[in-house]
Amino acid sequence: MERKSDISGFHELSPKKRLELVKAFAELTPEEAKALGKTGALDEKTADMMIENVVGTTELPFGIATNFLINGKDYLIPMVIEEPSVVAAASFAAKLARPAGGFTATSTPPVMIGQVQLVGVKNPEKAARDILAKKQQIIDYANEVDPCVLVKFGGGMRDIEARVIATPAGKMVIVHLLVDCRDAMGANAVNTLAETLSPMFEDISGGKTRLRIISNLADKRTAKSKAVWKKEDLEKASKGQFKGEDIVNGIIEAWAFAFSDPYRATTHNKGIMNGVDAVVIATGNDWRAVEAGAHAFASMRGRYGPLTKYSKDKDGNLVGEIEIPTAIGLVGGVTRTHPIAKVAVRILGVKNANELSEVIASVGLAQNFAALRALATEGIQKGHMRLHARNIAVMAGAEGKDVDIVAAKMVGEKRIRVDRAKEILEEIRK
Ligand code: NAD
C-alpha cells in the first residue's frame, strides 16, 4: 500500500476499519494489529466516543499506594503510571508520616478563572474601570442565565477582575471571570460562560472579544498539605545507616537547592508530579491541565521554584508542606464515563472535588519527600536499578520466580543488560 496519510473519510470508519488501514500503512504484523485493536475495561464503543479516529486503546499499570492517612481518614490511593518505584515510594513516605498523624490538608473553594480578551479598545483603562463598576450586575446575570448549570450544584460566578496588559499587539483589556465549579474541573463550563458574557464586555468597552477560555493557572483553586516526619523514624527506616538529624538536614538542603536553582527545581517538581499525575490519570482527570497549572504556579514568585517547602519543627523533626493548583473534578470530562476512573474514585471514597484535591496534594508531598530522602541519603539508583533489572529480566523472557533470580544476579554483578539476562536465564534453565 502507498504510504498516504490524507485518507479521506477516515473519521467515518469504524475503529476496526481504521485499524485495517493503519495496519496496511505501517505494515503491522497481525500480532501488532491485534494488540492495538484489543480493548479492555474501556470498550471500543466508549473509547470511540471519547476521541476521534480511535483504532484501539492502550493500557498502563494501575497500582495502589497504601498507608495514606489524610485529615484523620485512611485512603488507598489509585495510581496509574508506567514508572517503577513511584507507588512504592509514595506508600513508604505515607507510612513514615503516620506516627506524627499523617497528612493535614486543606483546599480553597473550587474557583477557576475564565479569561476574556478584549482588543481594539479605545480607552482600555477606562473600559477596565467600567467593567468593574458593573461587576455585580454581570455576576447576577451570569448566575441567572447559568448556561452550564453550576448554581444548582452550589457553584456559579463569584467575582470579576479586569486589568490592562501591554502586549506586542498593543494594549488589551483582560477580564477574569472567577467561577466556582464545585465538583467539575470546569473547562467546558467556564468556556461557555466566557462566551455567553463576552457581548456584555464588548458593549461596555467598545472593543472586540477574541479569546474566551479557561486559564490553566488555577491559582484560586489550590490544595495544601502538610506532614511531619519524625527524625527517629527516619533514622530507623534507614536501618541505622544515617542519623535522623542528618536525613532531616539533607532533605532541607535538597529543597534549598531547588529553591535557588531552576534546573534542580524542575526535577524536584517532576518528582511531585509523578504522584500527582498518577492520581489525576487514575481518576480520569485532565493531567495536561494540572501539569500546566503546576509549573506556572511554581514560577509565581518571578522565578521557577519548588512546589514544596521543608523546615524543622522545635524537636528537629522534618516538616514538609505543599501547595498546588488542582484543576480536577469528579463530574464532567471522562471522570464518569471511563469505567476504571469510576472505580478509582470508589476506591478513594472521596465525597467531592475538594477532598480529591487534598488527596492529590498529599500524594505529591509524599512522593517528593520519598525522592528527597533517597537522594539525600543512599541515592535513588540502587532502588531503581532493582526494578530496572526486573524489567530487563522480563524483556529477556524470564517468567515467574526466574524474574527475581535473574534480576538479583544482574544487580549483584552490576551488569543490567538484556544479553546478560538471557545468559543467566539459560544457566538457570539448564
Ligand atoms: P463538563 O462540562 O463535562 O461537566 C461539568 C458539568 O457537570 C457542569 O456544567 C454541571 O452542569 C454538571 N454537574 C453535575 N454535578 C455537578 C457538581 N456536583 N458540581 C459541578 N457541576 C456539576 O466538564 P467540565 O468540568 O466543565 O470540563 C472538563 C473537560 O474539559 C475535561 O475533559 C477537559 O479535558 C476539557 N477541556 C480542558 C481545557 C483546558 O484548557 N484545561 C479546555 C477545554 C476542554
Side-chain angles (χ1 to χ4, degrees):
M1 185 195 168
E2 194 193 346
R3 279 178 72 89
K4 209 165 81 53
S5 68
D6 60 336
I7 309 168
S8 87
F10 190 76
H11 68 285
E12 287 160 7
L13 302 175
S14 68
K16 286 202 174 48
K17 284 259 154 52
R18 289 183 203 128
L19 181 56
E20 274 171 31
L21 289 176
V22 174
K23 183 179 170 219
F25 179 93
E27 293 172 9
L28 300 181
T29 63
E31 292 73 35
E32 286 171 332
K34 196 172 160 213
L36 177 56
K38 202 172 147 222
T39 52
L42 179 60
D43 62 80
E44 188 183 287
K45 214 169 123 202
T46 314
D48 198 34
M49 282 190 307
M50 273 182 195
I51 65 161
E52 311 73 38
N53 294 355
V54 166
V55 294
T57 59
T58 190
E59 292 162 71
L60 288 171
F62 185 117
I64 297 284
T66 54
N67 303 319
F68 274 83
L69 181 64
I70 305 168
N71 293 336
K73 178 173 164 184
D74 267 284
Y75 292 88
L76 286 180
I77 312 286
M79 299 181 84
V80 171
I81 189 159
E82 84 298 343
E83 188 175 331
S85 301
V86 171
V87 178
S91 306
F92 174 71
K95 188 174 185 177
L96 275 181
R98 284 183 83 95
F103 299 84
T104 309
T106 56
S107 52
T108 65
V111 172
M112 297 295 293
I113 300 169
Q115 296 194 293
V116 178
Q117 177 196 26
L118 287 160
V119 298
V121 182
K122 281 212 182 74
N123 187 340
E125 283 76 15
K126 180 177 177 302
R129 280 196 305 275
D130 290 348
I131 288 168
L132 289 178
K134 296 206 163 138
K135 188 193 266 196
Q136 199 52 50
Q137 203 179 317
I138 301 166
I139 295 172
D140 291 345
Y141 174 75
N143 289 334
E144 198 185 299
V145 291
D146 193 23
C148 290
V149 198
L150 286 174
V151 176
K152 182 177 149 195
F153 298 103
M157 180 101 137
R158 294 286 185 256
D159 205 354
I160 290 180
E161 293 170 349
R163 71 204 151 95
V164 179
I165 60 168
T167 80
K171 280 189 175 181
M172 297 171 188
V173 179
I174 306 298
V175 183
H176 279 189
L177 315 176
L178 308 194
V179 186
D180 185 325
C181 299
R182 287 292 103 193
D183 294 329
M185 178 265 176
N188 290 319
V190 169
N191 295 347
T192 307
L193 194 58
E195 289 189 9
T196 307
L197 298 182
S198 63
M200 290 180 95
F201 298 125
E202 285 189 346
D203 280 351
I204 300 170
S205 68
K208 179 176 169 49
T209 47
R210 293 275 194 204
L211 274 54
R212 292 152 295 172
I213 178 85
I214 197 161
S215 168
N216 284 292
L217 177 47
D219 65 344
K220 309 263 186 223
R221 185 182 199 174
T222 68
K224 289 184 184 175
S225 185
K226 186 176 174 180
V228 174
W229 285 276
K230 292 187 182 171
K231 64 175 191 294
E232 57 270 22
D233 294 327
L234 295 176
E235 184 166 325
K236 224 190 291 163
S238 82
K239 300 200 172 74
Q241 252 187 301
F242 299 91
K243 286 260 161 276
E245 193 186 347
D246 193 37
I247 302 172
V248 171
N249 288 339
I251 292 173
I252 293 172
E253 283 158 6
W255 163 77
F257 177 12
F259 185 85
S260 301
D261 176 24
Y263 287 91
R264 175 58 211 152
T266 308
T267 315
H268 180 105
N269 290 341
K270 190 273 177 186
I272 294 172
M273 301 316 281
N274 275 343
V276 168
D277 284 342
V279 185
V280 170
I281 295 170
T283 52
N285 273 291
D286 182 342
W287 71 91
R288 289 84 54 206
V290 175
E291 276 283 337
H295 297 292
F297 192 68
S299 310
M300 294 287 271
R301 75 183 159 112
R303 197 178 62 202
Y304 189 81
L307 290 161
T308 51
K309 196 167 91 186
Y310 291 89
S311 56
K312 262 187 237 185
D313 69 9
K314 61 177 183 0
D315 301 316
N317 297 320
L318 182 72
V319 182
E321 292 168 85
I322 188 171
E323 183 178 11
I324 48 164
T326 44
I328 50 92
L330 287 175
V331 298
V334 304
T335 47
R336 288 224 175 137
T337 46
H338 194 298
I340 300 295
K342 283 194 286 189
V343 178
V345 172
R346 290 261 301 135
I347 295 170
L348 279 165
V350 290
K351 304 236 164 359
N352 51 45
N354 274 76
E355 189 181 348
L356 176 58
S357 73
E358 291 165 12
V359 168
I360 288 171
S362 304
V363 177
L365 176 60
Q367 209 70 59
N368 182 235
F369 160 81
L372 296 188
R373 192 207 67 94
L375 283 166
T377 57
E378 65 195 23
I380 57 164
Q381 273 323 84
K382 214 165 131 195
H384 263 291
M385 277 305 152
R386 267 197 303 272
L387 287 156
H388 176 57
R390 293 186 90 244
N391 285 341
I392 297 288
V394 172
M395 270 168 70
E399 286 173 0
K401 276 192 211 144
D402 289 352
V403 175
D404 283 325
I405 299 171
V406 174
K409 193 143 175 44
M410 288 194 294
V411 170
E413 293 173 355
K414 294 202 170 80
R415 280 175 71 198
I416 302 167
R417 298 189 341 218
V418 179
D419 56 345
R420 182 61 192 137
K422 283 187 177 153
E423 282 170 16
I424 301 169
L425 206 54
E426 260 175 46
E427 284 163 28
I428 299 172
R429 286 178 178 165
K430 257 185 210 158

